[in-house]
């Protein structure tokens, strides 16, 4: 008997943004439904509005629990929390939408901790709206770590050309340099290695960036941060059979990865990793959180208030996020898929 397709909780994101539109469009994509069983955690009324905006004839079916969902062509299943105001405008910052987006994530986290879904895929939330609702988290990564009781997670960005995992993310540059230490570097690389193996690369080649220009160039730049904070971690990783190479100059590491020299790049801080990835593939990029009870993937774009409600949002990144969630879920995909 074939293994059931993974059950994925899809959070709707900020209801005033493009989340509802890209979710509906992606969940009607045949390629998605052959790989997973997606169930939205969100607002059924807003999804119906999104379907009308997109001109799509589909059934938005409210269910009490993901296990109650039925998967038939033209049907989008949603655990309907019903939190959004009836007249919520598209493209306008709203604390109500921010509070609802938090609630969708909280419900998905509860399902993940209980083992009732096999992955989480998130539509974008708006940090300003989230904060206006009193939920003071930098973003999805930190919020999910808190809600699942996970002490430490890593952000990973994935495009067709390059994949990158971050040692630090949403903190200032000076704070990031202070926070980086051999243990954190080692744990980050191990999380990245595990994610790559689960995604089908059994022996990933991992390039680890330095902190300073030219990775310090033998002490010419900086104060020996590479030798102090990165090299000890690499020595321990290599002793355990992890193919981690570096420290590498960040200004060339991403070019080398894009031509295939490295399967994964380890960035030391937010912009070191995000900048190159967004140049190389933001239109189809996927954001992953590794280290949670289940894998979490997301589109690598924001709420796009400027086009929300116009029916012009491109669902390709959400389709890719669902594909990668299915591929890295805690249950395998059926061979028949």
């Amino acid at each position: 008997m074939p293994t059931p397709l993974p059950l994925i909780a899809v959070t709707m994101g900020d209801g005033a943004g493009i989340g509802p539109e890209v979710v509906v469009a992606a969940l009607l994509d045949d390629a998605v439904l052959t790989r997973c069983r997606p169930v939205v955690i969100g607002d059924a009324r807003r999804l119906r509005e999104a379907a009308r905006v997109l001109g799509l004839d589909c059934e938005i079916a409210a269910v009490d629990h993901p296990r109650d969902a039925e998967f038939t062509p033209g049907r989008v299943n949603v655990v309907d929390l019903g939190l959004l105001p009836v007249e919520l405008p598209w493209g306008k910052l709203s604390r109500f939408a921010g509070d609802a987006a938090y609630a969708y994530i909280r419900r998905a986290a509860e399902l993940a901790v209980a083992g009732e879904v096999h992955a989480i895929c998130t539509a974008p939330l708006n940090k300003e709206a989230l904060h206006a609702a009193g939920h003071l988290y930098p973003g999805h990564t930190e919020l999910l770590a808190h809600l699942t009781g996970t002490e430490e997670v890593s952000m990973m960005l994935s495009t067709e050309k390059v994949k990158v995992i971050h040692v630090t993310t949403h903190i200032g540059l000076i704070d990031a340099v202070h926070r980086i230490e051999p243990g954190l570097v080692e744990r980050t690389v191990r999380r990245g290695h595990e994610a790559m193996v689960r995604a089908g690369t059994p022996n990933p080649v991992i390039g680890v960036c330095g902190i300073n220009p030219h990775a310090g160039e033998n002490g010419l730049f900086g104060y020996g941060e590479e030798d102090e904070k990165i090299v000890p971690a690499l020595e321990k990783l290599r002793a355990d059979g992890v193919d981690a190479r570096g420290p590498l100059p960040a200004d060339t590491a991403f070019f080398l990865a894009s031509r295939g020299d490295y399967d994964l790049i380890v960035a030391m801080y937010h912009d070191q990793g995000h900048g190159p990835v967004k140049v190389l593939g933001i239109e189809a990029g996927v954001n992953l959180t590794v280290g949670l009870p289940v894998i979490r993937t997301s589109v690598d774009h924001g709420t796009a208030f400027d086009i929300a409600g116009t029916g012009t949002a491109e669902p390709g990144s959400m389709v890719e996020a669902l594909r990668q969630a299915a591929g890295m879920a805690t249950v395998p995909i059926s061979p028949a898929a």
Side-chain angles (χ1 to χ4, degrees), residues 288-308:
L288 299 88
T289 304
V290 293
L292 295 168
V294 297
I295 196 71
R296 169 258 173 175
T297 68
S298 179
V299 294
D300 191 29
H301 60 67
T303 48
F305 280 171
D306 57 325
I307 62 169

Side-chain angles (χ1 to χ4, degrees), residues 151-154 165-167 179-195 206 229 233-234 236-237 242 264 266 290-291:
E151 184 175 343
E152 190 174 274
V153 297
S154 295
I165 191 168
H166 293 71
V167 175
R179 183 171 296 183
I180 297 165
E181 50 86 21
L184 179 57
V185 173
E186 179 190 346
R187 295 189 299 275
T188 302
V189 175
R190 289 190 189 279
R191 281 189 286 270
H193 181 271
E194 178 185 0
I206 301 174
K229 297 172 177 286
L234 298 182
K236 189 169 182 180
L237 289 160
V242 177
L264 176 68
V266 180
V290 293

Side-chain angles (χ1 to χ4, degrees), residues 26-240:
L27 266 62
L28 295 174
D29 190 293
D30 290 340
V32 169
L33 297 177
T34 60
R35 293 176 175 272
C36 63
R37 294 176 292 154
V39 178
V40 184
I41 313 297
D43 189 299
R45 185 194 306 113
R46 195 60 161 182
L47 293 174
R48 293 186 184 108
E49 291 175 10
R52 284 196 294 273
V53 163
L54 293 166
L56 295 174
D57 182 15
C58 62
E59 178 188 7
I60 306 296
V63 297
D64 293 329
H65 191 280
R67 63 173 169 262
D68 302 324
E70 298 176 8
F71 297 91
T72 56
R75 175 181 168 119
V76 175
N77 295 281
V78 54
V79 176
D80 183 17
L81 301 191
L83 298 174
L84 294 178
V86 174
E87 300 300 327
L88 180 74
W90 294 99
K92 301 292 184 182
L93 186 76
S94 165
R95 65 180 178 88
F96 299 106
D99 191 50
Y102 170 83
Y104 307 152
I105 293 292
R106 184 179 61 196
R107 182 64 179 274
E110 291 168 352
L111 292 167
V113 170
E116 295 175 346
V117 295
H118 307 122
I120 296 171
C121 184
T122 60
L125 53 73
N126 183 283
K127 294 182 180 67
E128 189 175 351
L130 188 71
H131 291 182
H135 307 296
L136 305 181
Y137 297 90
H140 271 119
T141 302
E142 297 82 1
L143 176 53
L144 279 164
H146 171 75
L147 291 172
T148 59
T150 305
E151 184 175 343
E152 190 174 274
V153 297
S154 295
M155 176 187 290
M156 184 172 170
L157 302 179
S158 175
T159 72
E160 183 179 351
K161 290 185 177 181
V162 65
K163 293 177 175 59
V164 57
I165 191 168
H166 293 71
V167 175
T168 66
T169 50
H170 296 116
I171 57 175
L173 184 55
I174 293 175
D175 294 331
V177 174
H178 285 303
R179 183 171 296 183
I180 297 165
E181 50 86 21
L184 179 57
V185 173
E186 179 190 346
R187 295 189 299 275
T188 302
V189 175
R190 289 190 189 279
R191 281 189 286 270
H193 181 271
E194 178 185 0
M196 293 300 296
V197 170
R198 289 182 62 185
T201 304
N203 298 295
V205 179
I206 301 174
V208 181
C209 291
I211 297 172
N212 295 295
H214 301 185
E217 200 162 309
N218 298 315
L220 184 61
F221 304 117
Y223 300 93
E225 287 87 356
E226 282 73 20
D227 288 339
E228 174 190 348
K229 297 172 177 286
I230 300 174
V231 170
L234 298 182
E235 291 174 346
K236 189 169 182 180
L237 289 160
R238 288 194 286 261
D240 289 343

Side-chain angles (χ1 to χ4, degrees), residues 297-324:
T297 68
S298 179
V299 294
D300 191 29
H301 60 67
T303 48
F305 280 171
D306 57 325
I307 62 169
T310 66
T312 59
E314 168 56 52
S317 186
M318 177 58 76
V319 171
E320 179 64 13
L322 282 161
R323 185 188 72 80
Q324 294 204 31

